[in-house]
Amino acid sequence: MAKQVKRSPAPLYLAAAVWLVWGLFLPLYRLPHILAAAVLSAVAGLIGKSLFPDKIYEIPEQAKPQEPEKPKSTGDPELDALLAERDRALSEIRRLNDAIPGEKISAQIDRLEEDTRKIMDHVVEHPEKLPQIKRFMGYYLPTTLKLLNAYDRMGAAGVSGENIDGTKGRIDAMMDTIVAAFDKQLDALFADEALDISTDITVMENLLKQEGLSEEKPFAANG
């Protein structure tokens, strides 16, 4: 905390009062008189300081505004762009979820947010899979946000009509399909890993059977 000193004017007033009183009642035209008045004035000032000491106040320091933290670079411009788009898309999805009423559609938007985060995070960890989500990033995600924004605007209009109700109804009917599509996009990113694990399981099962550690007969690996 910063400290501020507030000096009392009382010592100055007392010192000045000595000169005023001396000038009114005593001679002040000779050097001895002037020196005596100066001494008394100084004494009055010291007494005033002891009676009215300076006051010290502690002033809380204002917090410096924090600059927004810049996202860390991955060193890959494409991945950096993906991370920036992830943050922007997730922020927009959360905003739409807060703005659009309805328990069912809120749960669907929650699922879209979760899938979107997992899809992008997985690709950041596995950059070689970036081509697999080109269509998702270029069409499915932005179109979904466009539909939800339209749904939000029409709901905020506060009126019922053929165009508004019809459009909102079509978006409502489409949401289950969109959620399923996002689920499949996430699942597709694990296709190679699932195949590798399936192959490992098949090889292990055959080895166990060949060495008599399993009662089943060996069978051919998939693929």
Side-chain angles (χ1 to χ4, degrees), residues 27-222:
L28 194 59
Y29 50 84
R30 292 181 180 179
L31 182 60
H33 300 158
I34 296 174
L35 292 176
V39 171
L40 287 176
S41 177
V43 171
L46 292 174
I47 294 173
K49 268 189 167 295
S50 63
L51 295 177
F52 305 98
D54 297 338
K55 294 182 179 180
I56 300 176
Y57 298 92
E58 291 187 348
I59 303 176
E61 295 182 359
Q62 293 183 350
K64 295 181 179 179
Q66 293 184 349
E67 296 182 358
E69 186 177 350
K70 295 181 179 179
K72 295 180 180 179
S73 174
T74 63
D76 185 326
E78 284 191 299
L79 292 182
D80 288 345
L82 179 64
L83 287 172
E85 178 59 20
R86 178 199 64 184
D87 294 342
R88 187 201 68 80
L90 293 178
S91 177
E92 179 67 0
I93 291 173
R94 284 191 291 270
R95 184 192 71 78
L96 288 165
N97 203 355
D98 291 338
I100 297 174
E103 185 175 342
K104 180 180 178 182
I105 194 168
S106 179
Q108 291 169 326
I109 296 174
D110 280 338
R111 185 62 173 268
L112 294 180
E113 179 184 352
E114 181 181 358
D115 282 351
T116 299
R117 179 186 293 105
K118 288 180 178 179
I119 287 169
M120 296 191 186
D121 287 348
H122 184 79
V123 172
V124 169
E125 293 178 4
H126 304 275
E128 70 280 2
K129 296 183 180 182
L130 187 59
Q132 292 182 238
I133 63 168
K134 290 290 187 182
R135 179 67 62 87
F136 173 80
M137 295 297 301
Y139 180 76
Y140 293 120
L141 179 58
T143 302
T144 298
L145 293 177
K146 180 180 178 181
L147 293 176
L148 290 174
N149 268 292
Y151 192 100
D152 177 34
R153 288 194 302 273
M154 292 181 179
V159 296
S160 179
E162 180 180 352
N163 292 322
I164 290 178
D165 293 345
T167 302
K168 289 181 64 181
R170 291 189 65 186
I171 295 174
D172 272 327
M174 188 68 180
M175 285 300 294
D176 283 334
T177 302
I178 294 174
V179 170
F182 275 50
D183 287 345
K184 288 181 180 178
Q185 176 66 77
L186 177 60
D187 182 70
L189 293 175
F190 290 88
D192 292 341
E193 185 176 350
L195 179 61
D196 290 343
I197 292 175
S198 177
T199 301
D200 289 339
I201 291 174
T202 300
V203 171
M204 178 176 285
E205 287 177 338
N206 282 333
L207 287 174
L208 290 172
K209 294 166 189 173
Q210 289 172 1
E211 296 181 6
L213 300 175
S214 174
E215 295 180 358
E216 297 182 9
K217 295 182 180 179
F219 53 90
N222 292 335

